[in-house]
Amino acid sequence: MRAWNPPTIPTLPVTAPAVSLHDTSSGRQVTTSPDGPARLYVCGITPYDATHLGHAATYVGFDLLNRAWRNAGHDVTYVQNVTDVDDPLLERATKVNIDWVELAERETELFRQDMQALRVLPPAAYIGAVESIPVVIDLIQVLERAGAVYQVEQDLYFSVTADGAFGEESGFDRDTMLSLFAERGGDPDRAGKRDPLDCVVWRGERPGEPSWPSPWGAGRPGWHIECAAIALTHLGSGIDVQGGGSDLVFPHHEMCAGHAQVARPGTSFAQVYSHAGMVGYDGEKMSKSRGNLVFVSALRNSDIDPMAIRLALLRHHFRSDWEWTDAELFEALDSLAQWRKAAALGTGAPAAPVVEEVLAAVADDLDAPRAVAAIDAWVAATLGVDGLADTSDPDAAVAIIAVADAALGIQL
Ligand code: 5CA
Ligand code: ZN
């Protein structure tokens, strides 16, 4: 699948520090040490509706990681999927009476435009579930040879006990797993399963649903096997970081890890599992199923500068849960105007310590609020908000403009 056009990123005159990230699995902050290009997989959208600010926050969050690694001197191989066939997409297509392929293409295209407007670096491989069916089938065959799958009527299930490390990604106890599995698309009560937590890897054809041939009859991939197959094919096992929103900690990332670890015994699927917090609106998690959404495209259509949207997102730590309000956007619009006003002066308060602080903050578990605060302080000093304007650094603006873009993706 085509991704989107990359933004230009300035090269910084200094090298950023090594990047550390909070790892969901160990519960600790881990310093990443990519061996060769850093390998990043971030779960992509299910394209049945437009990109909302929760999605945007997650992708901007992992974009900070992509940029931080590059600024630290690493190449990055970034892979993202598109769940372009799955239950919610098919349900929505039926509900609004539109062809599911057309719906997926339309919403994926809108997502590309939103990501490009937000200056998110595109993945090197942007891969749809449908185009991955051959590698999904290959992976299921590997699992089958390992004795890790079994049939229940027309469906094929993955046996979670086949992975000795099952449960280590989320660290959840069994009761938590069971309730999240039921809540998030699983079927703990299906008769004939060996373990209530076992998940579908191949869903046999149902009337009115699209299907593809396979050794187990016509059907379509389960959700978790899709990401496992795409990641293993394009990045291999033991990737540096598996990312996504915290709603994917269980079952999605646990099952992906389970599939991958049975297929490639002896290696963990990912070295670090990193999860973005949930953005809420009107008191609840912003979600397509709840319908409490603020769309990036709607803001762009009202002529809101995408850099203000990005700055509003960066004012929150990517791992925290927070609530979007219109006031957040107005504050970001004001800040952006101030940043641009200060940057337009050319001279300003000394930039070198600010550049160092911004890079250190982002390298420390992607602490964008700390980085933004450093630039806010430089802007205040440069504009003389609390006294005399500091114009002691003749080249300040060039350095600030470069770091705001290279590290934070904010173009001034
Ligand atoms: N296609 C699957 C992943 S393979 C999926 O979860 N799609 S999604 O469209 O529902 O979500 C896309 C990404 O946005 C996921 O990483 C998800 O964790 C994240 N996300 C969804 N809702 C929110 C929210 N309210 N706040 C932050 N991130 C969110
Ligand atoms: Zn995924």
Side-chain angles (χ1 to χ4, degrees), residues 45-49 83-96 98 100 103 129-130 155 157 181-187 190 200-210 212 219-224 226 288-289:
I45 54 162
T46 305
Y48 67 89
D49 215 338
T83 308
D84 58 359
V85 62
D86 200 9
D87 301 346
L89 172 72
L90 298 173
E91 282 159 20
R92 176 64 63 89
T94 305
K95 195 167 154 197
V96 298
I98 158 175
W100 64 276
L103 176 63
V130 172
D155 303 324
Y157 279 83
F181 191 59
E183 205 180 290
R184 298 174 178 166
D187 55 358
R190 170 112 186 236
V200 174
V201 286
W202 189 258
R203 178 178 153 88
E205 184 175 21
R206 306 289 198 276
E209 288 188 3
W212 291 263
R220 59 183 167 92
W223 171 30
H224 316 304
E226 165 198 342
K288 290 179 273 207
S289 47

Side-chain angles (χ1 to χ4, degrees), residues 42-47 52-55 57-59 81-83 223 226-227 243-248 252 276-280 285-288:
V42 178
C43 281
I45 54 162
T46 305
H52 60 61
L53 286 162
H55 301 135
T58 289
Y59 298 112
N81 69 305
V82 185
T83 308
W223 171 30
E226 165 198 342
C227 283
S246 60
D247 56 341
L248 302 184
H252 187 53
M278 287 293 113
V279 180
K285 170 193 159 187
M286 205 179 277
S287 83
K288 290 179 273 207

Side-chain angles (χ1 to χ4, degrees), residues 245-325:
S246 60
D247 56 341
L248 302 184
V249 171
F250 194 90
H252 187 53
H253 287 173
E254 193 77 74
M255 298 297 178
C256 288
H259 299 335
Q261 285 156 188
V262 172
R264 309 276 176 94
T267 21
S268 300
F269 171 53
Q271 296 176 44
V272 171
Y273 295 91
S274 175
H275 292 102
M278 287 293 113
V279 180
Y281 187 58
D282 280 347
E284 283 202 88
K285 170 193 159 187
M286 205 179 277
S287 83
K288 290 179 273 207
S289 47
R290 289 191 182 89
N292 59 336
L293 306 172
V294 181
F295 294 123
V296 174
S297 46
L299 296 177
R300 291 199 292 116
N301 287 338
S302 339
D303 289 329
I304 301 290
D305 186 331
M307 291 296 94
I309 304 173
R310 185 162 174 133
L311 188 53
L313 302 176
L314 294 178
R315 287 192 175 281
H316 298 269
H317 193 281
F318 90 107
R319 286 202 299 113
S320 63
D321 296 332
W322 56 282
E323 183 91 1
W324 174 269
T325 60

